Amino acid sequence: MNLRRFNLVLLVLGLALGAILAVLLTRGSEALPGQTEAEKKSQLYVDVSRAATAQVQAFLGVDHENVDAQAQAVLDGATGDFKEQYEAELDNILESAREQESTAVPSVLEVGISDIDTSTATVFVAANTQVTSKATKGETKTVPWRIQLDMVMEGGRWLTSGLQFVG
């Protein structure tokens, strides 16, 4: 009788372990607390890419009727030297957009990250803008852009500390 009871206990334990294993295999890392290093790195890339995309769209986007809000969006995503340079040129940017009745609709084509850690990143963005203004005589022109952004983590957000056009 003891052998039979022992076999029954082993069977129940085997079924319980099998059920636990099945749950862990089907749920993957969701069943475990925290993130793996690969998941953390992947999330870092996603966060930096999103911030770079938003900054390039804000920087390249122009609507002469709403240029103040667009300029504020650039400043909200900027820090350091880039923010200071942009603020220094802001009056000229606003005046030119209004005077030329400029509209530029950006589209980000690709984002590539060349260097990244938890506090800094170097990002390359390929984008186009569809531009109309007095200079284009109202016709829409496609203008390609290749931009390098230096990004830093500040206050829990990725901000642009440097921006330059690259060939």
Side-chain angles (χ1 to χ4, degrees):
M1 199 77 161
N2 281 339
L3 185 58
R4 218 171 156 186
R5 196 175 284 169
F6 180 74
N7 284 339
L8 184 59
V9 169
L10 284 178
L11 177 64
V12 169
L13 284 174
L15 289 173
L17 287 173
I20 291 169
L21 183 61
V23 168
L24 290 175
L25 289 175
T26 58
R27 292 194 52 195
S29 63
E30 292 175 2
L32 304 173
Q35 289 182 314
T36 66
E37 285 304 311
E39 289 170 326
K40 288 178 186 176
K41 190 76 158 178
S42 178
Q43 189 61 51
L44 187 61
Y45 275 76
V46 168
D47 293 345
V48 168
S49 295
R50 284 183 182 157
T53 297
Q55 185 67 342
V56 166
Q57 288 175 327
F59 184 75
L60 294 178
V62 177
D63 178 353
H64 63 93
E65 295 176 353
N66 193 29
V67 73
D68 292 313
Q70 291 173 314
Q72 188 59 52
V74 174
L75 290 171
D76 289 346
T79 190
D81 290 342
F82 173 64
K83 188 171 190 171
E84 290 174 14
Q85 292 167 356
Y86 190 80
E87 285 175 326
E89 291 298 319
L90 193 54
D91 288 338
N92 293 335
I93 293 168
L94 299 176
E95 181 182 334
S96 177
R98 289 182 183 120
E99 187 177 289
Q100 288 295 314
E101 297 178 5
S102 298
T103 302
V105 179
S107 59
V108 171
L109 307 174
E110 295 288 336
V111 176
I113 300 172
S114 68
D115 292 311
I116 190 169
D117 60 37
T118 58
S119 61
T120 62
T122 303
V123 184
F124 293 89
V125 178
N128 286 342
T129 50
Q130 299 298 313
V131 178
T132 56
S133 68
K134 286 182 178 178
T136 67
K137 296 182 172 76
E139 291 184 35
T140 301
K141 303 283 184 186
T142 300
V143 180
W145 303 95
R146 303 302 176 255
I147 300 171
Q148 177 184 329
L149 297 108
D150 298 319
M151 314 233 11
V152 296
M153 174 62 81
E154 283 185 11
R157 296 177 53 219
W158 284 100
L159 302 176
T160 303
S161 62
L163 185 148
Q164 59 185 332
F165 299 100
V166 294

